[in-house]
Amino acid sequence: MADEEVAEEEEVAPIIDDTEILIGTTTEKPLAPPKYEVRPGLGEKFQSQNVREIILEAMQSQLTGRQYRADQAAHWSKVIANAVRQKVCELDMKRYKIMAQSTIIEMKGAGVKCAQRCIWDPETDTYVDDIFKNESLFCYTIVYGVYMY
């Protein structure tokens, strides 16, 4: 009997459903589903012509009137690549990863062969390249624009 009395005295607290409280008092709108931009908008595509002009301007300003010097070629190449990348980034092409590469070699009649590979989406990713040459040097600069999904 003592056990029955103890059992009768305990009161069970009512279970409150949290979802009812939240729904009844919440005034905020539900969040919209996230947007995943898989393609650039109409006015947000890579601006190839503007990038080509930037490449030419940077190479001409750095190399016009210069003769090839092995000790300075690496520095010139870095200056060109950094200037091109900075000016292309100022074009504010949203969601594009910009990479610039510049190569300077001496004009001695020897050939150069090179290849590049990467994962590429031909609908959104692109590149622009141009060359500058004079009687003693050859400069090849390339800018990649890779759309970040």
Side-chain angles (χ1 to χ4, degrees):
M1 274 191 145
D3 291 334
E4 290 177 15
E5 291 176 14
V6 173
E8 290 177 10
E9 291 177 8
E10 291 180 14
E11 292 184 21
V12 179
I15 298 175
I16 300 173
D17 189 6
D18 290 338
T19 56
E20 291 178 12
I21 293 173
L22 291 176
I23 292 173
T25 60
T26 303
T27 58
E28 296 178 15
K29 295 180 182 178
L31 295 174
K35 290 183 178 180
Y36 297 102
E37 297 179 23
V38 231
R39 301 282 178 257
L42 188 58
E44 298 174 345
K45 293 201 177 217
F46 192 79
Q47 303 169 17
S48 298
Q49 187 59 36
N50 294 343
V51 173
R52 185 175 312 279
E53 292 171 7
I54 290 170
I55 292 171
L56 281 172
E57 179 185 319
M59 288 191 297
Q60 288 173 351
S61 68
Q62 188 67 31
L63 301 174
T64 300
R66 295 201 181 192
Q67 298 295 317
Y68 181 81
R69 289 181 46 195
D71 61 332
Q72 291 293 313
H75 173 71
W76 296 337
S77 183
K78 287 179 187 176
V79 168
I80 292 169
N82 288 337
V84 167
R85 185 179 181 286
Q86 182 181 7
K87 288 180 182 175
V88 170
C89 285
E90 288 173 4
L91 293 176
D92 198 31
M93 292 180 281
K94 295 179 181 173
R95 301 182 63 98
Y96 272 98
K97 172 81 171 179
I98 305 298
M99 296 165 276
Q101 177 184 2
S102 184
T103 306
I104 299 176
I105 58 175
E106 187 174 11
M107 295 281 278
K108 282 197 166 184
V112 174
K113 294 181 182 179
C114 64
Q116 302 164 8
R117 291 185 180 184
C118 63
I119 298 173
W120 201 256
D121 183 354
E123 292 182 22
T124 59
D125 303 338
T126 189
Y127 71 94
V128 178
D129 62 341
D130 216 330
I131 60 171
F132 174 90
K133 43 181 168 170
N134 62 21
E135 62 279 346
S136 72
L137 62 84
F138 176 88
C139 179
Y140 176 73
T141 303
I142 185 167
V143 174
Y144 298 97
V146 180
Y147 191 76
M148 304 299 285
Y149 296 109

